Amino acid sequence: MLKINELTYSVENGIIFNKLNLHVEKNKIVTLLAPFGSGKSTLFNLICSNNADNGVINCYNNRVFYIPSVPIAVKGYSTAQNIKFYNKTIKDNDIDLVLEKVGLAGYGSHVPQLINSGFLFRLTIAIGLSLGSKLFLIDDAFNNMKNKSKIEIIDFLRVLLKNNDISIFFGTSNFLEAIFLSDKIYFAKAQPMEIVAQKDITNSNLTIKEKLINNDFITCRNEIEQEIKKHNLYNLIV
């Protein structure tokens, strides 16, 4: 779905990436766990533009949809109007179908409030699905969510992945978000960004409630915490 090979990129202030390697497999959620200011947003923008100094960014002709840390919803527009704003040719029946996929069936005429971050996130996913996107880049999009909404969204994304032919590349500095959401985590230092470790998550398809009591998952989480300590990644949010 996405392969980044030997990616190098620099700006006037210095090197951001130096021979970075990442792989996001089909129907998986892969997380880049890296500190604030390490270049996660820059990486997502490079994936969208494929404008690196050296190296290869290969999305295999899949449509990429970038979800930034701030909502993309148009203030004062209804849910359906927001989808039509980004997808001019979509039909009303197709809007209903995509809203059902994200748990917003019946909310087409609803005007979302910009403080309702969980609703806005689902709406943003609906916009991406309506455009036929296959690879979703999620950039620290949970920062403004309350814990209850965050838990609901993480479980929602696991179900979405199961029922749709998509992949997700998630960037965060929050260890708990990464461990509960992902199938795989890449651990990175800054700067330049360097992958120092990677870890597949045991029983990643379980709900958060199930993960909290699953012994194999708990063991996996403890191993990841040790990996963070090993590489002195103390500036991550734990």
Side-chain angles (χ1 to χ4, degrees):
M1 185 63 74
L2 170 67
K3 272 192 176 181
I4 298 174
N5 294 321
E6 300 292 296
L7 174 65
T8 299
Y9 182 75
S10 59
V11 294
E12 291 182 0
N13 295 333
I15 300 173
I16 308 298
F17 312 114
N18 185 23
K19 296 184 178 180
L20 189 72
N21 293 280
L22 291 166
H23 182 202
V24 180
E25 297 176 354
K26 187 176 181 181
N27 300 124
K28 298 290 184 181
I29 300 177
V30 175
T31 293
L32 176 61
L33 183 62
F36 285 111
S38 59
K40 295 189 296 294
S41 297
T42 301
L43 179 60
F44 286 149
N45 283 312
L46 287 178
I47 293 170
C48 293
S49 64
N50 204 352
N51 187 29
D53 294 341
N54 290 291
V56 176
I57 301 174
N58 194 334
C59 294
Y60 301 99
N61 297 319
N62 288 298
R63 295 184 179 180
V64 179
F65 190 74
Y66 177 42
I67 302 177
S69 56
V70 294
I72 67 169
V74 181
K75 185 178 180 180
Y77 276 32
S78 70
T79 301
Q81 287 172 331
N82 265 285
I83 294 175
K84 287 182 177 179
F85 178 82
Y86 288 96
N87 187 341
K88 308 295 185 186
T89 61
I90 192 169
K91 298 178 181 179
D92 290 341
N93 287 342
D94 292 329
I95 291 177
D96 293 338
L97 289 174
V98 78
L99 288 178
E100 185 175 355
K101 286 184 177 181
V102 300
L104 296 181
Y107 281 89
S109 60
H110 176 73
V111 178
Q113 301 298 312
L114 295 184
I115 60 171
N116 192 339
S117 53
F119 189 100
L120 291 173
F121 184 83
R122 289 175 186 262
L123 172 56
T124 305
I125 291 289
I127 292 168
L129 291 174
S130 79
L131 294 168
S133 304
K134 295 297 184 182
L135 175 62
F136 287 77
L137 310 179
I138 302 178
D139 186 5
D140 269 325
F142 302 163
N143 285 348
N144 297 319
M145 291 186 193
K146 296 179 180 179
N147 285 336
K148 182 180 178 181
S149 294
K150 191 181 295 188
I151 290 170
E152 291 175 352
I153 289 299
I154 288 174
D155 283 340
F156 153 70
L157 285 174
R158 297 300 322 181
V159 173
L160 186 77
L161 192 77
K162 181 180 178 181
N163 296 330
N164 295 273
D165 186 25
I166 63 171
S167 298
I168 294 172
F169 186 28
F170 177 53
T172 185
S173 302
N174 190 306
F175 160 73
L176 292 178
E177 292 176 2
I179 182 67
F180 284 119
L181 177 63
S182 314
D183 294 299
K184 174 185 276 188
I185 300 175
Y186 286 96
F187 303 86
K189 285 184 175 180
Q191 209 173 40
M193 183 184 286
E194 175 189 358
I195 303 298
V196 295
Q198 57 182 283
K199 178 70 174 178
D200 292 323
I201 308 301
T202 303
N203 292 329
S204 58
N205 60 327
L206 299 177
T207 66
I208 289 182
K209 186 176 180 180
E210 291 169 334
K211 288 173 181 174
L212 288 172
I213 59 174
N214 183 272
N215 290 331
D216 291 336
F217 178 83
I218 293 171
T219 299
C220 179
R221 173 178 170 173
N222 291 337
E223 290 172 352
I224 290 174
E225 288 179 330
Q226 292 302 314
E227 200 72 45
I228 288 174
K229 293 177 182 178
K230 174 183 175 182
H231 295 285
N232 298 316
L233 300 176
Y234 296 114
N235 47 356
L236 298 175
I237 300 172
V238 179

